[in-house]
Amino acid sequence: MAERVQQPPAKRLCCRPGYNPACRQGQRAGGVLCGGPGSAPGGSGKTHNPESLLDIAARRVAEKWPFQRVEERFERIPEPVQRRIVYWSFPRSEKEICMYSSFNAGGEESGTSGENHEETQLPFLRGVTLLEGGWVDNVLQVGFHLSGTVTDPATSSQPEIICSVSVSFDRCKITAVTCSCGNKDIFYCAHVVALALYRVRKPDQVKLHLPISETLFQMSRDQLQKFVQYLISVHHTEVLPTAQKLADEILSTNSEINQVHGAPDPTAGASVDDENCWHLDEEQVQEQVKLFLSQGGYHGSGKQLNLLFSKVREMLRMRDSNGARMLTLITEQFMADPRLALWRQQGTTMTDKYRQLWDELGALWMCIVLNPHCKTEQKCWWLKQLRRWNSVDVCPWEDGNHGNDLPNLTHSLPQGAHGNQGLRPHRTVFTRAIEACDLHWQDRHLQHIIASGLYANYCYHDNQDGSLFDTRGWPMWHEHVPTACARVDALRSHGYPREALRLAIAVVNTLRRQQQRQLEHFRRHKKELLHKGITSITNMEGWVGHPLDPIGTLLLSLSLLFFEFFLLISLTQMRLLGEGESYVALAVETALIGLGQQRVMPDGLYAQEKVCRNEEQLLAKLQEVELDDMLVKIFRKQAVFLLESGPYSGHGEIVHRESVPMHTFTRYLFTSLLPHDAELAYKIALRAMRLPVLESTASSGDLSRPHHMVSVVPNRYPRWFTLTHIESQQCELASTMLTAAKGDSRKLETVLESIQKNIHSSSHIFKLGQDAFKIATLMDSLPDITLLKVSLELGLQVMRITLSTLNWRRREMVRWLVTCATEVGVYALDSIMQSWFTLFTPTEATSIVATTVMSNTTIVRLHLDCHQQENLASSARTLALQCAMKDPQNCALSALTLCEKDHIAFETAYQIVLDAAATGMSYTQLFTIARYMEHRGYPMRAYKLATLAMAHLNLSYNQDTHPAINDVLWACALSHSLGKNELAAVIPLVVKSVKCATVLSDILRRCTLTTPGLVSALHSRRNSGKLMSLDKAPLRQLLDATIGAYINTTHSRLTHISPRHYSEFIEFLGKTRETFLMAQDGHIQFTQFIDNLKQIYKGKKKLMMLVRERFG
C-alpha cells in the first residue's frame, strides 16, 4: 500500500480532568498479554469457559463507541475495563482484511497492477505466507496502535528486507496503516496483512499496553523527565529538533500549545468527530484509475477497472461506507478522461468496452442512492455530486450518444398505458441515479414485503382493488419494472439477500399477474384488433437491453447458488413460494416473460447491440438449466401466453414493424420444447420467423413517440444497425427447423413456405439451401428426397432473387444449384433448363448449366441410358440455341460447342453467329469463333467469320502492340493458305482496317515467303507452285499501303520527337527502307523520301545529320 505518512498525527488530545496521581501510584505500568486473565474465549484457543460480563460489555462498546465518548461518559475507568475495550477494538474477522488486500474476498483475482500475477503474489496470500513462515516479529499493541516488523525473506533476485509496519484501528476497523516497504497500490501490502493477521490469529502472543497517555499519567515528574531524556537520547538524530521546538513552545506562556488543554496521543483511539471507516488510500485509487483509463483498453486495463467495480460491490455488500467513497473517486477520474472531449469534438463514439464501463458506473450509483438505510444527508450529498457530473458537457449519454425521450423511471406506468411525452434533454448515464434519489422505502406494503416471508393476503386485508396480492394471496409490487428491479439489486448489493429475494418474488408475481390480465384483455378485444390489422408497442422501454438489466437482476436474485448460504435456513417457515414451485422455475419463467416481451427497437448502434448482447447473456444462463417436468410445464405455459397475448407479446399475431425480432429467443424455445411438444415448438417458431421491418407492406402501427412517426413513415427501413445480425439469427432459426423436420414432408413444406415468405436475403436463403442439402445427403444414410426438394426450391428462389442483382457468389450459387438438381434427379435438371430464362443469364445457362448437364460426370452420376442421355442433351442444345439467340456475343461459342454432335443444331448455331456478326458481335468474339471453326475443320467458315471480324477492326499507326494483331496475322495466313482468290479478297479488308506500318510489313513478308493455296492443294492437284509477285494484285495494293503507312508514321513521329528517341527513329527508317526496296523502283522512292525529310525537317539538325550518316 502507498504509505507516505511520516508521523501519524494523533487522533485527539488526551488528559484526565480531576486526575489524582495518588490513586494510581501503586498500579503497574507494564503490559500484559492480550490473552491474559479475563481474555475472551477463543483468544488462545484453549479456554472454553463462558464469556464474562466484562468481555461482553467491552466487546459491544468497542464495536460502537469511540473511546473518547467512553472517557467523557465516565470520570474514572478502571484499567481492566480499558484493557478489554482496547483488546476488542481490533478487527476480529479476516474477511475485511482480505477485502482490502485483494480484488475479491476469495483472493482469486489478479492484483491491481496491469500484469498477470500468480495467485501467490496477491498481497493477502503473500501476507498469509509471511505469517505462517514466522516472519512477523516484535509485535506490540499500545492502545489503539499496533506495530511490528515483517521480514521479506531473501530470494534469488533480492536480499532480505525488514519492514517496519504500524496499524491504527478503531471500533473494529483499521483506520490507518504505514509500512516502510514503499509499495504503492490501492490495497494493503503483504506486510500490513501479515501484521494484522498475526493480531487476529495470535492475540495471546501480542503484548498489550494501554494508550501511552495512560502510562504517562502514572509517572512522577522525575520519571517523566527520565522518560523524555531517554527517548531523545535513543532517537536524538530524528527527534532532537522537534523536541527543542516543543520545549520552547511549552516554556513560552503565550504559545499556541499552552492555550490547548491536554496533548495529542496517537494511541488513544478516535475522537467523537472522526469518521469510522476502514483505511482507503484515495490518492492511489485515483492514480490507478487514471492509469487504467490512459491505457485505452490495452494491457488488461478494462479487466482491472471491472475488478475495481466488483470491489465497490463487495464493499457495498459488506455495508462498508468506503464503497460509495471509492466509487466517487473512480467517477471523478472517468469524468476527467481527456478522450471524452476528443470524441465529442470529433463526433466519434467511444469503444464498446469503454461504454460498458460507463454503464456499470451508472448502475453502481443506482445501487448506492437506493440504499434502504442511507441517511438523508448522504443522499443529498450524492445527489449534488451526480447533478454536477450530469451537467458536464462531455458526460456520456445513456443510450450511447443517441438521444431519447423515455419516461422517467419513477413513473410507475401500467402496462399498455400511453402518454405523449414531449422531447426531453438527453439522458446521461447518471440520469437514472438522479431520478432514483426521489425514491423512498417508506411505503407500508413495500416494508411488509421485504420484512417478512409470511406476509400474505390472509394477514393483511387492505386489498380492495386487488393490486396488492395475487389470486393466491401472495404479495405483488406494482412499480415501473426496471425501477422495482433496481430496488432488488440495491437490496442485494447492500447485503440484504433475504429482503432482495422477497421483493424479487413479489415483482415476479406481479409480472405473472399482469401477463394473465393482458391475455384476458386481448382475448376480449381480439376480433377488433385483428380486423384493424394494426398493433401498438405496449412498452416503449424494453426490459432486455435496458440500462438497469431488470431481467438479469431478477435472475441473479433468484439464483440458488447466490442464496446457497441462505437456503440452509428452512424456507418452509418463510412461505416465499407456492406449492411445487422452486427458485429455478421462478427464474426461468421470469426470463421467458422478459425475453418474450414485445418492445420497440431502440435508437442508436450501441443501444441496439446491447439488446442483442443482453438477450444472448440471458439465454446463456437459461441453457445452464436442465429441464425437468416442472420446467417443461412452464415452457408450455409461456409459449401459449406468447402466442395468444397479442400486442403484449413479441410472438403475437400482429407485431409492430419496429418490434424487436424474436429469432434468437425462439430458437432456444424451439429446441427446448421440441422433445416434449413438437407441434407447439413449430407453431411458435413459425410465428417468430417474420421480420416486419423488411416488409414494405407492414403497417406502421401506433407509436406514441412523435419522432418515430417521422422516421418510419417516409423511409422504408428505419436505422437498424444490427439488421445483419438479426437476419443471420432468422436464418439460424430456419436452419434449426429444417434440421428437426427431416423426414416429415408436411413440416418441411411448412418451413419452406415460411422461409420463402419471410427471409429476404439471398445469401441467407442460399445458406439454408446448402444446410438442407448437407442434411439430406449425410454419408451414413440414404438421401432424403423431400429435404433435397426443399433445398432445390431454396436454390431456385436464390436464382430468381439474384438474377437481376449483382452478387459476388452468383457463379457458386449456379454451380451448387446444378449439383442439387442432379441429386434430385434428371427431371429436376430438365426442369431448370426448360425455365432457364427465369433463373440464369444466357452466359450462365450455357457455360455452367448446359455444360455441366452434358458432362460425363453427370451422366455417370444419374445412371442414364442412351435414350435419357439423348433427351437431356436435346434439352441442353435447345437451351444453348435459345441463349445464343438472346446473347450471341457471349453464348455463340458455347452453343456451337454444345451442338457439335448434332448437325442441324450446329448449323443453326452457325447461322445465328452469321446473323449477329453484322450488328451485335465484336471482332474479338468473331475471331475467337473463327479460330474454333478452323480447329473443328471448317476453314471456309473460319475464313468467312475472319473477314466479318476484319470489318469491325481498326488499328491506327501507333498500335503495334494491339492484342488483335495476332488475329489479323492468323486471318491473313488462313486466307493465304486457302488460295489466291481468298487472299485477294482479304487484303483490301486488311488495308482498310490496319494502318500500322510494322503489322502491314509483317503480313507482306509472310505472303511472299510461300505460295498460296496450301490447304486447297491438299484437296486438289492444281497448284502452280509459283510465289506471288509484288508488282501485281493483290500484293501490289498491300505493298503500296505498307509504304504509305511508313511514310505517314515517319511524319507523325517527327512531329513530337525528342533527342532520346533519335537512335530508335533511325532504326525505324532502316525498316522503312527494307519495305521500300521490295518495290521495283523502291530505291528511287526511298531516296526521294529521305530528301523530302531533310528539306522539311532541316531545323532538326542533329537528327538530319544522323539521317545523312546512315542513308546518305
Side-chain angles (χ1 to χ4, degrees):
M1 176 144 194
E3 292 85 6
R4 296 168 303 284
V5 182
Q6 299 299 322
Q7 279 189 322
K11 292 286 187 180
R12 59 189 178 86
L13 301 177
C14 298
C15 67
R16 284 289 183 269
Y19 172 75
N20 183 4
C23 69
R24 298 202 180 182
Q25 285 297 319
Q27 294 184 358
R28 179 166 50 91
V32 297
L33 295 179
C34 290
S39 64
S44 64
K46 298 179 180 180
T47 303
H48 302 286
N49 296 327
E51 279 189 292
S52 66
L53 184 60
L54 171 60
D55 273 312
I56 295 173
R59 185 171 66 246
R60 298 297 294 172
V61 169
E63 290 173 355
K64 302 296 183 183
W65 283 26
F67 196 64
Q68 182 182 6
R69 178 166 295 175
V70 177
E71 292 176 327
E72 292 173 350
R73 180 75 176 271
F74 305 100
E75 182 176 351
R76 182 179 179 276
I77 306 172
E79 184 175 325
V81 175
Q82 292 189 56
R83 290 186 181 281
R84 301 319 295 162
I85 293 175
V86 170
Y87 170 81
W88 288 113
S89 292
F90 195 86
R92 295 183 290 277
S93 170
E94 297 182 11
K95 191 173 184 180
E96 288 83 1
I97 298 172
C98 180
M99 180 174 72
Y100 278 91
S101 56
S102 58
F103 261 119
N104 67 341
E108 295 174 358
E109 300 291 351
S110 61
T112 57
S113 65
E115 303 172 1
N116 295 323
H117 291 291
E118 298 292 336
E119 285 189 2
T120 55
Q121 295 301 311
L122 294 173
F124 182 78
L125 296 181
R126 285 181 56 223
V128 172
T129 303
L130 291 173
L131 173 63
E132 294 175 348
W135 298 103
V136 182
D137 199 7
N138 302 323
V139 181
L140 174 67
Q141 179 178 342
V142 180
F144 297 87
H145 188 276
L146 182 72
S147 62
T149 59
V150 180
T151 304
D152 252 338
T155 63
S156 57
S157 58
Q158 67 178 19
E160 180 180 279
I161 302 174
I162 300 177
C163 299
S164 297
V165 185
S166 63
V167 172
S168 297
F169 53 91
D170 172 52
R171 283 169 276 178
C172 301
K173 294 182 176 68
I174 293 176
T175 56
V177 299
T178 59
C179 180
S180 62
C181 69
N183 179 49
K184 293 180 181 292
D185 208 340
I186 293 179
F187 302 123
Y188 303 164
C189 67
H191 312 109
V192 171
V193 172
L195 179 62
L197 292 182
Y198 187 96
R199 173 61 176 80
V200 173
R201 297 184 182 184
K202 303 177 181 181
D204 56 336
Q205 298 181 24
V206 178
K207 200 170 187 179
L208 186 148
H209 298 263
L210 292 178
I212 194 67
S213 56
E214 292 291 330
T215 304
L216 295 178
F217 289 149
Q218 299 175 25
M219 294 183 183
S220 64
R221 183 192 178 285
D222 291 339
Q223 289 174 323
L224 284 172
Q225 183 170 358
K226 184 178 291 188
F227 170 78
V228 173
Q229 288 182 213
Y230 267 102
L231 179 63
I232 295 174
S233 176
V234 174
H235 300 286
H236 66 277
T237 56
E238 292 88 359
V239 304
L240 186 57
T242 305
Q244 185 61 54
K245 179 182 178 183
L246 290 174
D248 292 341
E249 291 186 7
I250 290 173
L251 292 174
S252 175
T253 307
N254 298 323
S255 65
E256 183 179 351
I257 199 171
N258 284 324
Q259 307 303 317
V260 179
H261 185 63
D265 182 1
T267 67
S271 68
V272 176
D273 300 327
D274 285 342
E275 184 180 0
N276 182 229
C277 61
W278 285 78
H279 174 72
L280 178 68
D281 193 326
E282 296 187 0
E283 184 178 344
Q284 275 303 302
V285 172
Q286 293 174 317
E287 288 297 323
Q288 291 283 353
V289 175
K290 185 177 181 180
L291 173 63
F292 294 149
L293 289 175
S294 68
Q295 291 174 350
Y298 300 101
H299 311 294
S301 58
K303 178 183 177 182
Q304 302 300 328
L305 288 169
N306 275 315
L307 290 175
L308 285 180
F309 287 144
S310 298
K311 179 58 64 178
V312 172
R313 285 193 178 274
E314 186 182 354
M315 290 177 174
L316 296 181
R317 189 163 58 251
M318 297 182 70
R319 305 175 195 175
D320 188 333
S321 61
N322 279 337
R325 183 177 162 205
M326 185 170 177
L327 187 62
T328 301
L329 299 172
I330 294 173
T331 307
E332 290 287 2
Q333 293 305 309
F334 267 73
M335 292 300 299
D337 190 344
R339 292 178 297 172
L340 291 176
L342 182 63
W343 286 330
R344 181 64 61 89
Q345 181 182 3
Q346 295 177 344
T348 56
T349 58
M350 61 182 68
T351 62
D352 191 56
K353 289 184 178 180
Y354 188 57
R355 176 70 235 192
Q356 292 176 41
L357 292 173
W358 276 101
D359 285 351
E360 178 65 10
L361 197 66
L364 281 171
W365 275 115
M366 277 289 294
C367 288
I368 286 176
V369 300
L370 281 176
N371 182 353
H373 297 294
C374 72
K375 297 178 182 178
T376 304
E377 55 269 22
Q378 282 183 319
K379 184 176 286 190
C380 291
W381 187 84
W382 292 333
L383 179 59
K384 181 180 178 181
Q385 288 286 92
L386 290 167
R387 284 176 174 168
R388 179 172 64 85
W389 294 325
N390 189 72
S391 63
V392 178
D393 183 55
V394 295
C395 184
W397 296 346
E398 181 181 70
D399 57 353
N401 290 354
H402 198 289
N404 62 20
D405 55 326
L406 295 175
N408 187 300
L409 66 86
T410 59
H411 295 171
S412 301
L413 297 177
Q415 297 292 325
H418 291 281
N420 288 332
Q421 308 218 0
L423 293 177
R424 303 173 57 207
H426 292 303
R427 299 173 61 86
T428 73
V429 292
F430 301 116
T431 301
R432 292 184 185 273
I434 292 173
E435 295 169 351
C437 290
D438 296 331
L439 299 174
H440 60 80
W441 296 85
Q442 279 70 48
D443 183 89
R444 184 182 176 189
H445 183 56
L446 177 60
Q447 288 290 331
H448 280 296
I449 290 173
I450 64 178
S452 172
L454 299 175
Y455 180 54
N457 193 22
Y458 57 79
C459 63
Y460 188 78
H461 305 288
D462 186 15
N463 189 36
Q464 288 82 4
D465 59 354
S467 63
L468 300 182
F469 301 90
D470 62 15
T471 55
R472 302 174 303 169
W474 300 116
M476 298 188 297
W477 176 243
H478 289 274
E479 190 175 28
H480 179 238
V481 173
T483 307
C485 294
R487 290 183 185 270
V488 175
D489 189 27
L491 286 170
R492 190 188 70 248
S493 298
H494 286 283
Y496 301 100
R498 295 171 176 80
E499 292 79 359
L501 178 60
R502 292 169 188 145
L503 183 56
I505 293 175
V507 173
V508 175
N509 288 336
T510 309
L511 294 180
R512 294 198 293 191
R513 179 57 181 155
Q514 286 179 345
Q515 190 183 49
Q516 183 63 41
R517 288 182 176 178
Q518 290 165 357
L519 177 61
E520 295 168 358
H521 177 268
F522 177 68
R523 285 174 175 172
R524 288 194 299 269
H525 301 86
K526 182 175 181 179
K527 291 184 179 180
E528 177 186 353
L529 291 173
L530 294 181
H531 177 71
K532 292 181 180 179
I534 63 172
T535 187
S536 60
I537 297 292
T538 60
N539 197 320
M540 303 305 293
E541 195 176 30
W543 301 331
V544 176
H546 191 279
L548 299 179
D549 189 19
I551 303 301
T553 297
L554 292 177
L555 281 183
L556 184 58
S557 299
L558 295 168
S559 168
L560 278 175
L561 292 177
F562 183 84
F563 288 99
E564 183 177 358
F565 71 95
F566 174 46
L567 292 176
L568 297 176
I569 304 174
S570 175
L571 290 179
T572 57
Q573 299 176 3
M574 300 185 61
R575 300 200 58 192
L576 294 176
L577 299 176
E579 184 179 354
E581 289 185 334
S582 69
Y583 292 111
V584 173
L586 209 59
V588 168
E589 187 168 12
T590 302
L592 297 180
I593 293 173
L595 288 165
Q597 174 202 33
Q598 183 182 181
R599 53 198 183 272
V600 70
M601 178 67 78
D603 295 325
L605 171 62
Y606 177 75
Q608 293 176 13
E609 288 180 340
K610 191 172 182 180
V611 168
C612 300
R613 184 168 55 248
N614 191 207
E615 182 180 39
E616 292 170 355
Q617 290 168 347
L618 292 173
L619 290 175
K621 293 178 182 177
L622 286 176
Q623 287 168 351
E624 296 174 359
V625 180
E626 294 185 8
L627 298 188
D628 55 18
D629 293 340
M630 181 173 62
L631 291 180
V632 170
K633 184 178 178 181
I634 290 174
F635 269 80
R636 282 198 177 104
K637 183 184 81 169
Q638 285 301 319
V640 172
F641 269 125
L642 292 172
L643 288 169
E644 299 181 2
S645 293
Y648 304 99
S649 165
H651 292 84
E653 291 187 48
I654 301 176
V655 293
H656 192 273
R657 187 185 185 194
E658 291 190 49
S659 177
V660 174
M662 297 282 112
H663 307 127
T664 308
F665 169 47
T666 307
R667 183 154 61 98
Y668 168 73
L669 272 182
F670 177 80
T671 54
S672 300
L673 282 171
L674 188 63
H676 310 284
D677 193 337
E679 289 300 322
L680 182 59
Y682 276 100
K683 187 175 181 180
I684 197 168
L686 291 169
R687 176 75 64 81
M689 275 292 292
R690 60 198 168 185
L691 189 53
V693 73
L694 295 182
E695 300 290 346
S696 58
T697 58
S699 171
S700 59
D702 174 28
L703 276 174
S704 62
R705 293 195 291 181
H707 78 276
H708 261 284
M709 293 302 294
V710 173
S711 66
V712 174
V713 177
N715 304 314
R716 182 180 178 189
Y717 300 143
R719 297 191 69 187
W720 280 29
F721 299 96
T722 56
L723 189 58
T724 301
H725 171 76
I726 290 170
E727 287 187 287
S728 68
Q729 292 301 306
Q730 183 190 35
C731 177
E732 290 296 326
L733 174 60
S735 179
T736 303
M737 285 195 289
L738 282 176
T739 304
K742 181 179 180 181
D744 190 326
S745 57
R746 182 181 64 84
K747 285 188 172 64
L748 282 173
E749 182 179 353
T750 306
V751 175
L752 174 62
E753 291 175 358
S754 178
I755 293 171
Q756 293 175 326
K757 177 183 177 181
N758 295 299
I759 297 185
H760 306 275
S761 167
S762 59
S763 60
H764 289 134
I765 299 175
F766 180 46
K767 179 183 181 302
L768 287 172
Q770 289 179 308
D771 291 347
F773 183 80
K774 291 176 183 176
I775 299 167
T777 56
L778 292 174
M779 296 297 293
D780 58 349
S781 61
L782 294 174
D784 187 317
I785 191 63
T786 307
L787 196 52
L788 277 174
K789 290 180 179 178
V790 169
S791 177
L792 179 63
E793 285 297 323
L794 293 173
L796 295 175
Q797 185 178 358
V798 171
M799 292 297 102
R800 297 186 190 101
I801 293 174
T802 59
L803 180 59
S804 57
T805 58
L806 295 176
N807 192 304
W808 64 275
R809 300 183 66 187
R810 173 74 184 180
R811 288 184 66 83
E812 177 191 356
M813 293 173 176
V814 174
R815 293 183 186 279
W816 174 83
L817 180 68
V818 176
T819 303
C820 183
T822 304
E823 289 294 325
V824 174
V826 65
Y827 68 91
L829 288 173
D830 189 65
S831 175
I832 64 173
M833 287 192 292
Q834 294 292 336
S835 57
W836 69 268
F837 47 88
T838 64
L839 304 173
F840 315 108
T841 63
T843 304
E844 293 168 346
T846 54
S847 64
I848 301 177
V849 180
T851 303
T852 306
V853 167
M854 295 186 67
S855 66
N856 290 331
T857 305
T858 303
I859 294 172
V860 173
R861 181 73 182 86
L862 293 174
H863 307 290
L864 302 179
D865 56 29
C866 293
H867 178 69
Q868 291 174 321
Q869 290 182 34
E870 181 54 35
N871 288 340
L872 199 61
S874 176
S875 296
R877 288 192 292 268
T878 303
L879 177 149
L881 293 175
Q882 291 173 347
C883 293
M885 288 287 292
K886 190 174 182 67
D887 186 7
Q889 295 91 340
N890 298 311
C891 301
L893 180 58
S894 297
L896 287 166
T897 304
L898 292 167
C899 296
E900 285 178 355
K901 296 182 180 180
D902 187 287
H903 178 71
I904 297 175
F906 187 81
E907 291 298 323
T908 305
Y910 175 65
Q911 189 59 47
I912 291 172
V913 174
L914 293 179
D915 294 341
T919 54
M921 300 187 74
S922 66
Y923 64 84
T924 303
Q925 294 164 335
L926 290 170
F927 275 130
T928 302
I929 298 174
R931 285 177 179 268
Y932 163 80
M933 283 296 185
E934 183 193 29
H935 178 70
R936 301 305 301 173
Y938 299 103
M940 291 305 298
R941 292 184 177 184
Y943 167 75
K944 174 66 175 176
L945 293 172
T947 57
L948 293 173
M950 291 293 296
H952 296 286
L953 181 64
N954 183 23
L955 283 180
S956 63
Y957 75 93
N958 59 350
Q959 291 182 297
D960 52 357
T961 59
H962 195 280
I965 292 176
N966 287 332
D967 291 323
V968 173
L969 296 176
W970 169 83
C972 292
L974 175 66
S975 303
H976 186 271
S977 66
L978 290 173
K980 184 176 180 180
N981 294 333
E982 287 75 6
L983 183 60
V986 83
I987 282 179
L989 295 175
V990 172
V991 171
K992 181 180 179 182
S993 301
V994 180
K995 305 302 181 184
C996 182
T998 54
V999 176
L1000 289 173
S1001 63
D1002 194 5
I1003 296 172
L1004 183 63
R1005 285 182 175 80
R1006 293 182 184 217
C1007 290
T1008 58
L1009 292 177
T1010 59
T1011 58
L1014 291 180
V1015 174
S1016 61
L1018 298 175
H1019 306 283
S1020 173
R1021 294 182 180 180
R1022 294 177 298 168
N1023 184 14
S1024 61
K1026 296 181 180 180
L1027 296 175
M1028 296 182 67
S1029 173
L1030 291 172
D1031 295 331
K1032 299 179 180 179
L1035 294 187
R1036 181 64 192 184
Q1037 182 183 3
L1038 180 59
L1039 177 60
D1040 292 342
T1042 305
I1043 292 173
Y1046 270 114
I1047 293 173
N1048 292 333
T1049 303
T1050 300
H1051 287 294
S1052 178
R1053 286 193 172 193
L1054 285 172
T1055 304
H1056 303 290
I1057 195 169
S1058 62
R1060 68 174 180 273
H1061 294 139
Y1062 284 174
S1063 59
E1064 180 183 344
F1065 177 75
I1066 297 299
E1067 293 299 324
F1068 176 77
L1069 283 182
K1071 295 180 180 178
T1072 302
R1073 181 172 61 180
E1074 292 175 2
T1075 303
F1076 269 83
L1077 294 179
M1078 295 178 73
Q1080 287 187 352
D1081 56 347
H1083 179 72
I1084 299 173
Q1085 291 184 37
F1086 184 73
T1087 302
Q1088 293 176 349
F1089 173 60
I1090 293 298
D1091 292 340
N1092 289 337
L1093 290 180
K1094 295 175 184 176
Q1095 183 65 31
I1096 296 172
Y1097 301 101
K1098 59 185 178 180
K1100 300 181 183 294
K1101 296 180 180 180
K1102 183 176 180 180
L1103 177 60
M1104 292 302 107
M1105 181 182 68
L1106 295 175
V1107 171
R1108 290 189 192 95
E1109 290 177 357
R1110 178 75 178 271
F1111 304 106

